[in-house]
Amino acid sequence: MARRRDAVVRRGLRHVGRGIVEQPGMFTLAVVASSIYGAMTVASAYVIGEITDRVLLPSFADGATTAAALSLAAAAIIGVALLKIVGILGRRLFAGIMSYRLQADYRRRVTRQYLRLPLSWHQRHPTGQLLSNANSDVEAAWFFVAPLPFAVGALVMIAITVVALFLTDPLIALVGLVVFPLVFLVNVVYSQVMSPRMQRAQQLRAEVSEIAHESFDAALVVKTLGRETAETERFGARAEELRDGLVAVGRVRGLFDPMMEALPNLGTLAVLLIGAGRVADGSTDAGSLVSIAYLFTLLALPIRAIGWVLADLPRALAGFDRVTPVLEATGETRYGPESAAPAPGGAAVGVAGVDFSFGDAARPTLRDVTFDVRAGTTVAVVGPTGSGKSTLAGLLVRLVDPADGTVLLDGVDVRRLKEGEVSGRAAFVAQGTFLFDDTVRGNVTLDPAEGSAFTDDEVWAALRVAAADEFVAALPGGLDTRVGERGATLSGGQRQRLALARAVVRRPRLLVLDDATSAVDPSVEARILDALRDSDEPATVVVIAYRQATISLADEVVWLENGQVLARGTHEQLLDEVPGYAALVRAYSQAEVPA
Amino acid sequence: MTEAPLVPADERREGAFATLRRGLRMMPEFRRGLPVTFALALLATAGRVVVPIAVQQVIDRGLAGGDPDLDVVTRLVLLCAVVVLITAVAVYLMNVRLFRTTETALAALRVRAFRHVHDLSVLHQQGERRGSLVSRVTSDVDQLSTFMQWGGVLGLISVGQLVVATVVMTVYSWQLTLLVLVCFIPLAIAVRWFAQRLATAYGVVRERVGDVLGAVAESVVGAPTVRAYGVGARTAARIDGAIDRQYRAQVDAQKVTAAVFVSGEFVAALANAAVVVVGVLLGLAGDITAGTLVAFLFLVTLFVAPVQTASEVLNEAQNAVAGFRRVLDVLDTDPDVRDPATAAPETVRELPPGPLGVRFDAVSFRYAPGAPMALDGVALTIPPRLRVAVVGETGSGKTTFAKLVTRLMDPVDGQVLLGSDAEGWVPLEEVAFSSLRSRVVMVPQDGFLFDATVADNVRYGRPGMTDEEVATAFDELELGAWVAGLEDGVRTPVGQRGESLSSGERQLVAVARAYVADPDLLVLDEATSAVDPATEQRLTRALDRLTDGRTTLTIAHRLSTAERADEVLVVDAGHVVQRGTHAELVDADGRYARLHASWRRSSTGAPATTG
């Protein structure tokens, strides 16, 4: 336990160091400003002391004062305050900028990883977790930076104070030597006791949030099965655990706060007690005593800044610990050096001895899959539910890499192709359609904001092929209509057609359709395939489908069952030779009800 | 439809105090034991003025005269030390009480909001708004809780401290007190303005945070698309833009905060200077002693601290109140589909036992005021035990039909009833949810699965089933072979949202889940659209056999279902345009005949005509 506590402090200090190293300029500026603030806080106490000694007590003793003395006193108070304000402004601004820069920087790094890491990594990490990694975890990791320069300034202040105390009266200085280390000690113990409780509370918060996410996503199921009460109990149980965790956190904080307040107060009282004796025997004067007592009152707040930083460190570490695995995750898709000269016409596809498993599942999703697709032909992949078709589609466009075996595009292992080569040749339309929060045009072209690779005519032509031209033309802004987050303003069929247009507009040499036409009319589907194949340089098409109309458009059919290719051939050949295939594609013909 | 009540609360211009009053009304847990907590708070603040008083006493009793009475000083200081310790204990007790009460109240609030959200149809109607509903029961409540732990206690003590400091200052010198108050008047006036500036600045920050989340979500949810099209750079540029804008908004807000904070500091210095000058003059006039004046300077720091704390807490308080308001707004949103068991218990009626028929009595529905009718004056009766297929093109109103039968929505006009001619008909809105949901079950197209095993997900339909019973259920549905092919049979985990299974497999589990719930009326809305035809045929044949004697409503664009059904309803543009058996309708040469011919062509091989 003690070792772990030490580790928290050590790791915490290292984390602080990391922040300073990454933003040295802002940190220096903030610390300078904070030191000005610290020095001026001490100065203001001395001003009060001096005023007591030179203006107040003499005036009260003599029964007279001068306008000069009074205005000098007022000017001194206001002058010191103005300098102090400069310090505060600088400290707040520079510390804020430092903290926000670190956050922005880490957000960029984390999201860059999201784009770099392979889909298999994405599949292992829930969406909610990745979102909070980029948002709240990054914030937690660097939030403490805001009060950090304040705390450093407070250390400067304490150093000045201790020196000043010794110069004034060594005996009174002893009070400082007892109180300040004590304050520091309480802070350290606090952060160590707090750390595990804070982590548990954060963990429970995440769990509560996960249940809420899942339960609300499942709303339709929950409602149609009338399970609202059971769901509420599930959520409530975790919410109560969280409550207990937060009360445990509050109890520690509730003890810490009054201790931090009482210590400087007791210090002031001790100064009065010892000081009264010292004034009595003439070792020091009343003004010094007043300024030291005043100083203790003023120091209470800055010293707490040290506490804020220390108190926030466990949270910062917890946040950073959640971000680190993302930053350190490896296995990003590696690209090779090859960039074959663009050949005209369809791309040749080869799949050789491919094995694939999800995560650490013992049963492979694909086993020793081998087949090839000649350039410019259309191949249908057919198989029962759960046979591995979608996985195979993802492999062809290198969304995932096989555990074993190779996927070849134009005779080259896709892993040896340069970045952008696969997506430059192949277009993939997935089962679930994803649209960006952008305009219709942006969703079809996927261009950066400036400069499009496609003309509007080309976009309209693609929309026409996908039978999306009519509804797009009817939209209020035409191509410039925004589709909302995930295309929320469009229907499922409309979204699917836009996704198809996105693939068509690129004139891909390989088109992979993963059951991507289920919501469109068969005639639209035929038109898309015709458009791709009837050009002088027909594209290669791999289509996953159940519809016989779609399958019969294929030159060849690959029959997949339990992750294995069990047969290949034309539609007619497979109908004759493979009973499972015949049963599947003829399911509807055989299902005629007896009249 | 549900748009209006959930308008972001910020636009509603409800004052912070109005929100708190509303909140306290809704959270009785908050008030429990509050008097004792307030008493402790009073004690805690009283202890804070001890030090200035001690300073005054020590100076006046000893130092000013030049010959301190050390005994008196010692006794005084020790007494004050005891008071300081008692104060600390009081603060501790107050803190713990306050944390326990607020966390208990917030946990209750969180759970109530969670339950309430499930009652709102916006949850399943508008999937894209789920994220914001999740934050109602997570981050909004978290923010409140964090605020209570940091700022709430601080705020409570600060207010007390302000009051106590003012009282003690007045006792020492009413003239100087007046002077200090006058110095702070401009600040008090400016606070409102500052608060507005802060609210605006942090409002912008919140918006920018939302933009960043949206942009990041695209890179996570849309990862396959981003990858497949090689548009990582485009997505990265978007995220970077959003992050930069968030950064700039944060720095702007920080500038406002710093300005607010230092204005308090400046006023404090003015007050100090004024107290010194006027204090000396008053002292010369014999109104106050030197000790009083020095003590007053200490008291001014006590007076200033809460003001500064307040400016510090102000922004967080506003955020917390805004979050609070959003949670309360959700609770104040009336569910558009009410459970009569809670809304009007006296009207609740029981559904007749046995198979249930469906009757639509001139039912109309539209998704938003002004939108075209999704169903328009539909009147029909489906007798019990019938297997009915509902067909029609996308957007014809099929799914609306299903949602009205299962009371996921209420009609705009007309009435939906369940029952039979023999047993009588009961209006849906008079049936308690607990009874309705056990008798009528719908399987939607996207049958969401929980992150658990296959068996757990099926059990969701009938809690208490053993794994063996679940396996038997799959066998009965002729899905035994599929289960056998899974890694660990029915104990196979399905992963987040069931994503370890293919979409077709997820549908199989969802159908099994509804089957074990054993409803009298089963509604299948495209429930097997992603399942391969052979499996689908086996499954539906098995279902037909197993649900013999129940009523089933099947919505499908694969017309094999219609071929097998007792009766077919053809829906077009919100109207039932045809009704009859498959054979009758094929012969009738109407809409159905055309739909069916087109489907036959596509599913049995003949390529569809181009163009």
Side-chain angles (χ1 to χ4, degrees), chain B residues 15-34:
Chain B
F17 281 106
T19 304
L20 289 179
R21 263 202 309 279
R22 188 152 65 107
L24 287 178
R25 235 187 2 258
M26 289 169 123
M27 297 164 71
E29 300 91 345
F30 245 151
R31 290 194 294 261
R32 207 164 293 152
L34 217 51

mmCIF file with all atom_site columns, all heavy atoms in Angstrom, chain B residues 15-34:
data_model
loop_
_atom_site.group_PDB
_atom_site.id
_atom_site.type_symbol
_atom_site.label_atom_id
_atom_site.label_alt_id
_atom_site.label_comp_id
_atom_site.label_asym_id
_atom_site.label_entity_id
_atom_site.label_seq_id
_atom_site.pdbx_PDB_ins_code
_atom_site.Cartn_x
_atom_site.Cartn_y
_atom_site.Cartn_z
_atom_site.occupancy
_atom_site.B_iso_or_equiv
_atom_site.pdbx_formal_charge
_atom_site.auth_seq_id
_atom_site.auth_comp_id
_atom_site.auth_asym_id
_atom_site.auth_atom_id
_atom_site.pdbx_PDB_model_num
ATOM 1   N N   . GLY B 1 15 ? -34.424 31.662 -14.507 1.00 0.00 ? 15 GLY B N   1
ATOM 2   C CA  . GLY B 1 15 ? -33.393 32.100 -13.579 1.00 0.00 ? 15 GLY B CA  1
ATOM 3   C C   . GLY B 1 15 ? -32.827 30.946 -12.781 1.00 0.00 ? 15 GLY B C   1
ATOM 4   O O   . GLY B 1 15 ? -33.454 29.899 -12.654 1.00 0.00 ? 15 GLY B O   1
ATOM 5   N N   . ALA B 1 16 ? -31.594 31.147 -12.247 1.00 0.00 ? 16 ALA B N   1
ATOM 6   C CA  . ALA B 1 16 ? -30.939 30.092 -11.481 1.00 0.00 ? 16 ALA B CA  1
ATOM 7   C C   . ALA B 1 16 ? -31.788 29.710 -10.267 1.00 0.00 ? 16 ALA B C   1
ATOM 8   O O   . ALA B 1 16 ? -31.928 28.532 -9.940  1.00 0.00 ? 16 ALA B O   1
ATOM 9   C CB  . ALA B 1 16 ? -29.559 30.538 -11.042 1.00 0.00 ? 16 ALA B CB  1
ATOM 10  N N   . PHE B 1 17 ? -32.378 30.718 -9.628  1.00 0.00 ? 17 PHE B N   1
ATOM 11  C CA  . PHE B 1 17 ? -33.143 30.416 -8.412  1.00 0.00 ? 17 PHE B CA  1
ATOM 12  C C   . PHE B 1 17 ? -34.416 29.665 -8.745  1.00 0.00 ? 17 PHE B C   1
ATOM 13  O O   . PHE B 1 17 ? -34.832 28.776 -8.011  1.00 0.00 ? 17 PHE B O   1
ATOM 14  C CB  . PHE B 1 17 ? -33.434 31.695 -7.634  1.00 0.00 ? 17 PHE B CB  1
ATOM 15  C CG  . PHE B 1 17 ? -32.251 32.151 -6.852  1.00 0.00 ? 17 PHE B CG  1
ATOM 16  C CD1 . PHE B 1 17 ? -31.496 33.241 -7.250  1.00 0.00 ? 17 PHE B CD1 1
ATOM 17  C CD2 . PHE B 1 17 ? -31.854 31.448 -5.717  1.00 0.00 ? 17 PHE B CD2 1
ATOM 18  C CE1 . PHE B 1 17 ? -30.375 33.634 -6.541  1.00 0.00 ? 17 PHE B CE1 1
ATOM 19  C CE2 . PHE B 1 17 ? -30.738 31.831 -5.001  1.00 0.00 ? 17 PHE B CE2 1
ATOM 20  C CZ  . PHE B 1 17 ? -29.993 32.929 -5.416  1.00 0.00 ? 17 PHE B CZ  1
ATOM 21  N N   . ALA B 1 18 ? -35.017 30.036 -9.879  1.00 0.00 ? 18 ALA B N   1
ATOM 22  C CA  . ALA B 1 18 ? -36.216 29.315 -10.303 1.00 0.00 ? 18 ALA B CA  1
ATOM 23  C C   . ALA B 1 18 ? -35.868 27.846 -10.534 1.00 0.00 ? 18 ALA B C   1
ATOM 24  O O   . ALA B 1 18 ? -36.616 26.951 -10.142 1.00 0.00 ? 18 ALA B O   1
ATOM 25  C CB  . ALA B 1 18 ? -36.780 29.941 -11.569 1.00 0.00 ? 18 ALA B CB  1
ATOM 26  N N   . THR B 1 19 ? -34.699 27.608 -11.166 1.00 0.00 ? 19 THR B N   1
ATOM 27  C CA  . THR B 1 19 ? -34.272 26.228 -11.404 1.00 0.00 ? 19 THR B CA  1
ATOM 28  C C   . THR B 1 19 ? -34.074 25.492 -10.079 1.00 0.00 ? 19 THR B C   1
ATOM 29  O O   . THR B 1 19 ? -34.515 24.356 -9.911  1.00 0.00 ? 19 THR B O   1
ATOM 30  C CB  . THR B 1 19 ? -32.948 26.208 -12.184 1.00 0.00 ? 19 THR B CB  1
ATOM 31  O OG1 . THR B 1 19 ? -33.113 26.938 -13.377 1.00 0.00 ? 19 THR B OG1 1
ATOM 32  C CG2 . THR B 1 19 ? -32.527 24.785 -12.495 1.00 0.00 ? 19 THR B CG2 1
ATOM 33  N N   . LEU B 1 20 ? -33.406 26.168 -9.135  1.00 0.00 ? 20 LEU B N   1
ATOM 34  C CA  . LEU B 1 20 ? -33.151 25.523 -7.848  1.00 0.00 ? 20 LEU B CA  1
ATOM 35  C C   . LEU B 1 20 ? -34.465 25.208 -7.129  1.00 0.00 ? 20 LEU B C   1
ATOM 36  O O   . LEU B 1 20 ? -34.613 24.136 -6.554  1.00 0.00 ? 20 LEU B O   1
ATOM 37  C CB  . LEU B 1 20 ? -32.273 26.425 -6.975  1.00 0.00 ? 20 LEU B CB  1
ATOM 38  C CG  . LEU B 1 20 ? -30.828 26.539 -7.450  1.00 0.00 ? 20 LEU B CG  1
ATOM 39  C CD1 . LEU B 1 20 ? -30.044 27.475 -6.548  1.00 0.00 ? 20 LEU B CD1 1
ATOM 40  C CD2 . LEU B 1 20 ? -30.155 25.165 -7.468  1.00 0.00 ? 20 LEU B CD2 1
ATOM 41  N N   . ARG B 1 21 ? -35.401 26.153 -7.204  1.00 0.00 ? 21 ARG B N   1
ATOM 42  C CA  . ARG B 1 21 ? -36.693 25.914 -6.545  1.00 0.00 ? 21 ARG B CA  1
ATOM 43  C C   . ARG B 1 21 ? -37.386 24.711 -7.169  1.00 0.00 ? 21 ARG B C   1
ATOM 44  O O   . ARG B 1 21 ? -37.879 23.829 -6.472  1.00 0.00 ? 21 ARG B O   1
ATOM 45  C CB  . ARG B 1 21 ? -37.586 27.148 -6.669  1.00 0.00 ? 21 ARG B CB  1
ATOM 46  C CG  . ARG B 1 21 ? -37.545 28.049 -5.437  1.00 0.00 ? 21 ARG B CG  1
ATOM 47  C CD  . ARG B 1 21 ? -38.792 28.925 -5.340  1.00 0.00 ? 21 ARG B CD  1
ATOM 48  N NE  . ARG B 1 21 ? -39.073 29.651 -6.570  1.00 0.00 ? 21 ARG B NE  1
ATOM 49  C CZ  . ARG B 1 21 ? -38.460 30.790 -6.925  1.00 0.00 ? 21 ARG B CZ  1
ATOM 50  N NH1 . ARG B 1 21 ? -37.529 31.319 -6.144  1.00 0.00 ? 21 ARG B NH1 1
ATOM 51  N NH2 . ARG B 1 21 ? -38.766 31.397 -8.051  1.00 0.00 ? 21 ARG B NH2 1
ATOM 52  N N   . ARG B 1 22 ? -37.354 24.673 -8.519  1.00 0.00 ? 22 ARG B N   1
ATOM 53  C CA  . ARG B 1 22 ? -37.961 23.550 -9.232  1.00 0.00 ? 22 ARG B CA  1
ATOM 54  C C   . ARG B 1 22 ? -37.280 22.252 -8.827  1.00 0.00 ? 22 ARG B C   1
ATOM 55  O O   . ARG B 1 22 ? -37.926 21.237 -8.590  1.00 0.00 ? 22 ARG B O   1
ATOM 56  C CB  . ARG B 1 22 ? -37.805 23.795 -10.737 1.00 0.00 ? 22 ARG B CB  1
ATOM 57  C CG  . ARG B 1 22 ? -38.535 22.837 -11.622 1.00 0.00 ? 22 ARG B CG  1
ATOM 58  C CD  . ARG B 1 22 ? -38.909 23.499 -12.948 1.00 0.00 ? 22 ARG B CD  1
ATOM 59  N NE  . ARG B 1 22 ? -37.741 23.853 -13.746 1.00 0.00 ? 22 ARG B NE  1
ATOM 60  C CZ  . ARG B 1 22 ? -37.372 23.188 -14.850 1.00 0.00 ? 22 ARG B CZ  1
ATOM 61  N NH1 . ARG B 1 22 ? -38.042 22.159 -15.252 1.00 0.00 ? 22 ARG B NH1 1
ATOM 62  N NH2 . ARG B 1 22 ? -36.326 23.581 -15.539 1.00 0.00 ? 22 ARG B NH2 1
ATOM 63  N N   . GLY B 1 23 ? -35.949 22.320 -8.737  1.00 0.00 ? 23 GLY B N   1
ATOM 64  C CA  . GLY B 1 23 ? -35.182 21.137 -8.380  1.00 0.00 ? 23 GLY B CA  1
ATOM 65  C C   . GLY B 1 23 ? -35.511 20.648 -6.979  1.00 0.00 ? 23 GLY B C   1
ATOM 66  O O   . GLY B 1 23 ? -35.713 19.460 -6.764  1.00 0.00 ? 23 GLY B O   1
ATOM 67  N N   . LEU B 1 24 ? -35.594 21.593 -6.046  1.00 0.00 ? 24 LEU B N   1
ATOM 68  C CA  . LEU B 1 24 ? -35.863 21.202 -4.661  1.00 0.00 ? 24 LEU B CA  1
ATOM 69  C C   . LEU B 1 24 ? -37.251 20.591 -4.522  1.00 0.00 ? 24 LEU B C   1
ATOM 70  O O   . LEU B 1 24 ? -37.452 19.660 -3.743  1.00 0.00 ? 24 LEU B O   1
ATOM 71  C CB  . LEU B 1 24 ? -35.729 22.416 -3.734  1.00 0.00 ? 24 LEU B CB  1
ATOM 72  C CG  . LEU B 1 24 ? -34.283 22.861 -3.503  1.00 0.00 ? 24 LEU B CG  1
ATOM 73  C CD1 . LEU B 1 24 ? -34.224 24.088 -2.621  1.00 0.00 ? 24 LEU B CD1 1
ATOM 74  C CD2 . LEU B 1 24 ? -33.471 21.719 -2.883  1.00 0.00 ? 24 LEU B CD2 1
ATOM 75  N N   . ARG B 1 25 ? -38.178 21.105 -5.336  1.00 0.00 ? 25 ARG B N   1
ATOM 76  C CA  . ARG B 1 25 ? -39.515 20.530 -5.304  1.00 0.00 ? 25 ARG B CA  1
ATOM 77  C C   . ARG B 1 25 ? -39.468 19.075 -5.755  1.00 0.00 ? 25 ARG B C   1
ATOM 78  O O   . ARG B 1 25 ? -40.159 18.219 -5.220  1.00 0.00 ? 25 ARG B O   1
ATOM 79  C CB  . ARG B 1 25 ? -40.420 21.331 -6.240  1.00 0.00 ? 25 ARG B CB  1
ATOM 80  C CG  . ARG B 1 25 ? -41.656 21.846 -5.558  1.00 0.00 ? 25 ARG B CG  1
ATOM 81  C CD  . ARG B 1 25 ? -42.688 22.501 -6.455  1.00 0.00 ? 25 ARG B CD  1
ATOM 82  N NE  . ARG B 1 25 ? -42.430 22.550 -7.867  1.00 0.00 ? 25 ARG B NE  1
ATOM 83  C CZ  . ARG B 1 25 ? -41.992 23.636 -8.508  1.00 0.00 ? 25 ARG B CZ  1
ATOM 84  N NH1 . ARG B 1 25 ? -41.720 24.745 -7.841  1.00 0.00 ? 25 ARG B NH1 1
ATOM 85  N NH2 . ARG B 1 25 ? -41.836 23.618 -9.805  1.00 0.00 ? 25 ARG B NH2 1
ATOM 86  N N   . MET B 1 26 ? -38.620 18.812 -6.746  1.00 0.00 ? 26 MET B N   1
ATOM 87  C CA  . MET B 1 26 ? -38.570 17.468 -7.313  1.00 0.00 ? 26 MET B CA  1
ATOM 88  C C   . MET B 1 26 ? -37.644 16.542 -6.536  1.00 0.00 ? 26 MET B C   1
ATOM 89  O O   . MET B 1 26 ? -37.607 15.362 -6.796  1.00 0.00 ? 26 MET B O   1
ATOM 90  C CB  . MET B 1 26 ? -38.098 17.543 -8.772  1.00 0.00 ? 26 MET B CB  1
ATOM 91  C CG  . MET B 1 26 ? -39.136 18.138 -9.674  1.00 0.00 ? 26 MET B CG  1
ATOM 92  S SD  . MET B 1 26 ? -38.410 18.477 -11.265 1.00 0.00 ? 26 MET B SD  1
ATOM 93  C CE  . MET B 1 26 ? -39.479 17.546 -12.331 1.00 0.00 ? 26 MET B CE  1
ATOM 94  N N   . MET B 1 27 ? -36.854 17.102 -5.647  1.00 0.00 ? 27 MET B N   1
ATOM 95  C CA  . MET B 1 27 ? -35.883 16.279 -4.923  1.00 0.00 ? 27 MET B CA  1
ATOM 96  C C   . MET B 1 27 ? -36.059 16.436 -3.422  1.00 0.00 ? 27 MET B C   1
ATOM 97  O O   . MET B 1 27 ? -35.299 17.141 -2.774  1.00 0.00 ? 27 MET B O   1
ATOM 98  C CB  . MET B 1 27 ? -34.460 16.665 -5.321  1.00 0.00 ? 27 MET B CB  1
ATOM 99  C CG  . MET B 1 27 ? -34.170 16.417 -6.788  1.00 0.00 ? 27 MET B CG  1
ATOM 100 S SD  . MET B 1 27 ? -32.698 17.283 -7.304  1.00 0.00 ? 27 MET B SD  1
ATOM 101 C CE  . MET B 1 27 ? -31.459 16.303 -6.459  1.00 0.00 ? 27 MET B CE  1
ATOM 102 N N   . PRO B 1 28 ? -37.063 15.758 -2.855  1.00 0.00 ? 28 PRO B N   1
ATOM 103 C CA  . PRO B 1 28 ? -37.305 15.891 -1.414  1.00 0.00 ? 28 PRO B CA  1
ATOM 104 C C   . PRO B 1 28 ? -36.087 15.451 -0.592  1.00 0.00 ? 28 PRO B C   1
ATOM 105 O O   . PRO B 1 28 ? -35.881 15.923 0.527   1.00 0.00 ? 28 PRO B O   1
ATOM 106 C CB  . PRO B 1 28 ? -38.509 14.972 -1.171  1.00 0.00 ? 28 PRO B CB  1
ATOM 107 C CG  . PRO B 1 28 ? -38.568 14.067 -2.359  1.00 0.00 ? 28 PRO B CG  1
ATOM 108 C CD  . PRO B 1 28 ? -37.988 14.830 -3.498  1.00 0.00 ? 28 PRO B CD  1
ATOM 109 N N   . GLU B 1 29 ? -35.267 14.558 -1.197  1.00 0.00 ? 29 GLU B N   1
ATOM 110 C CA  . GLU B 1 29 ? -34.105 14.051 -0.455  1.00 0.00 ? 29 GLU B CA  1
ATOM 111 C C   . GLU B 1 29 ? -33.167 15.185 -0.057  1.00 0.00 ? 29 GLU B C   1
ATOM 112 O O   . GLU B 1 29 ? -32.442 15.086 0.938   1.00 0.00 ? 29 GLU B O   1
ATOM 113 C CB  . GLU B 1 29 ? -33.310 13.060 -1.327  1.00 0.00 ? 29 GLU B CB  1
ATOM 114 C CG  . GLU B 1 29 ? -34.106 11.845 -1.782  1.00 0.00 ? 29 GLU B CG  1
ATOM 115 C CD  . GLU B 1 29 ? -34.784 12.082 -3.128  1.00 0.00 ? 29 GLU B CD  1
ATOM 116 O OE1 . GLU B 1 29 ? -34.869 13.265 -3.539  1.00 0.00 ? 29 GLU B OE1 1
ATOM 117 O OE2 . GLU B 1 29 ? -35.232 11.108 -3.756  1.00 0.00 ? 29 GLU B OE2 1
ATOM 118 N N   . PHE B 1 30 ? -33.192 16.246 -0.849  1.00 0.00 ? 30 PHE B N   1
ATOM 119 C CA  . PHE B 1 30 ? -32.290 17.371 -0.603  1.00 0.00 ? 30 PHE B CA  1
ATOM 120 C C   . PHE B 1 30 ? -32.554 18.038 0.730   1.00 0.00 ? 30 PHE B C   1
ATOM 121 O O   . PHE B 1 30 ? -31.655 18.516 1.407   1.00 0.00 ? 30 PHE B O   1
ATOM 122 C CB  . PHE B 1 30 ? -32.481 18.426 -1.708  1.00 0.00 ? 30 PHE B CB  1
ATOM 123 C CG  . PHE B 1 30 ? -31.274 18.601 -2.563  1.00 0.00 ? 30 PHE B CG  1
ATOM 124 C CD1 . PHE B 1 30 ? -31.411 18.994 -3.886  1.00 0.00 ? 30 PHE B CD1 1
ATOM 125 C CD2 . PHE B 1 30 ? -29.999 18.383 -2.061  1.00 0.00 ? 30 PHE B CD2 1
ATOM 126 C CE1 . PHE B 1 30 ? -30.304 19.152 -4.692  1.00 0.00 ? 30 PHE B CE1 1
ATOM 127 C CE2 . PHE B 1 30 ? -28.890 18.539 -2.861  1.00 0.00 ? 30 PHE B CE2 1
ATOM 128 C CZ  . PHE B 1 30 ? -29.049 18.921 -4.183  1.00 0.00 ? 30 PHE B CZ  1
ATOM 129 N N   . ARG B 1 31 ? -33.839 18.093 1.078   1.00 0.00 ? 31 ARG B N   1
ATOM 130 C CA  . ARG B 1 31 ? -34.209 18.887 2.246   1.00 0.00 ? 31 ARG B CA  1
ATOM 131 C C   . ARG B 1 31 ? -33.983 18.150 3.550   1.00 0.00 ? 31 ARG B C   1
ATOM 132 O O   . ARG B 1 31 ? -33.965 18.748 4.611   1.00 0.00 ? 31 ARG B O   1
ATOM 133 C CB  . ARG B 1 31 ? -35.680 19.287 2.136   1.00 0.00 ? 31 ARG B CB  1
ATOM 134 C CG  . ARG B 1 31 ? -35.925 20.294 1.039   1.00 0.00 ? 31 ARG B CG  1
ATOM 135 C CD  . ARG B 1 31 ? -37.296 20.898 1.199   1.00 0.00 ? 31 ARG B CD  1
ATOM 136 N NE  . ARG B 1 31 ? -38.324 19.886 0.981   1.00 0.00 ? 31 ARG B NE  1
ATOM 137 C CZ  . ARG B 1 31 ? -38.983 19.753 -0.170  1.00 0.00 ? 31 ARG B CZ  1
ATOM 138 N NH1 . ARG B 1 31 ? -38.733 20.560 -1.159  1.00 0.00 ? 31 ARG B NH1 1
ATOM 139 N NH2 . ARG B 1 31 ? -39.898 18.835 -0.307  1.00 0.00 ? 31 ARG B NH2 1
ATOM 140 N N   . ARG B 1 32 ? -33.821 16.834 3.458   1.00 0.00 ? 32 ARG B N   1
ATOM 141 C CA  . ARG B 1 32 ? -33.718 16.034 4.671   1.00 0.00 ? 32 ARG B CA  1
ATOM 142 C C   . ARG B 1 32 ? -32.521 16.476 5.529   1.00 0.00 ? 32 ARG B C   1
ATOM 143 O O   . ARG B 1 32 ? -31.397 16.540 5.046   1.00 0.00 ? 32 ARG B O   1
ATOM 144 C CB  . ARG B 1 32 ? -33.589 14.546 4.303   1.00 0.00 ? 32 ARG B CB  1
ATOM 145 C CG  . ARG B 1 32 ? -34.111 13.627 5.351   1.00 0.00 ? 32 ARG B CG  1
ATOM 146 C CD  . ARG B 1 32 ? -34.317 12.228 4.783   1.00 0.00 ? 32 ARG B CD  1
ATOM 147 N NE  . ARG B 1 32 ? -35.390 12.192 3.782   1.00 0.00 ? 32 ARG B NE  1
ATOM 148 C CZ  . ARG B 1 32 ? -35.421 11.298 2.781   1.00 0.00 ? 32 ARG B CZ  1
ATOM 149 N NH1 . ARG B 1 32 ? -34.448 10.440 2.631   1.00 0.00 ? 32 ARG B NH1 1
ATOM 150 N NH2 . ARG B 1 32 ? -36.426 11.304 1.930   1.00 0.00 ? 32 ARG B NH2 1
ATOM 151 N N   . GLY B 1 33 ? -32.759 16.805 6.785   1.00 0.00 ? 33 GLY B N   1
ATOM 152 C CA  . GLY B 1 33 ? -31.684 17.135 7.718   1.00 0.00 ? 33 GLY B CA  1
ATOM 153 C C   . GLY B 1 33 ? -31.008 18.458 7.430   1.00 0.00 ? 33 GLY B C   1
ATOM 154 O O   . GLY B 1 33 ? -29.929 18.736 7.950   1.00 0.00 ? 33 GLY B O   1
ATOM 155 N N   . LEU B 1 34 ? -31.646 19.282 6.628   1.00 0.00 ? 34 LEU B N   1
ATOM 156 C CA  . LEU B 1 34 ? -31.012 20.530 6.243   1.00 0.00 ? 34 LEU B CA  1
ATOM 157 C C   . LEU B 1 34 ? -30.840 21.508 7.417   1.00 0.00 ? 34 LEU B C   1
ATOM 158 O O   . LEU B 1 34 ? -29.816 22.188 7.493   1.00 0.00 ? 34 LEU B O   1
ATOM 159 C CB  . LEU B 1 34 ? -31.817 21.183 5.109   1.00 0.00 ? 34 LEU B CB  1
ATOM 160 C CG  . LEU B 1 34 ? -30.984 21.901 4.051   1.00 0.00 ? 34 LEU B CG  1
ATOM 161 C CD1 . LEU B 1 34 ? -29.874 21.005 3.531   1.00 0.00 ? 34 LEU B CD1 1
ATOM 162 C CD2 . LEU B 1 34 ? -31.853 22.378 2.905   1.00 0.00 ? 34 LEU B CD2 1
#
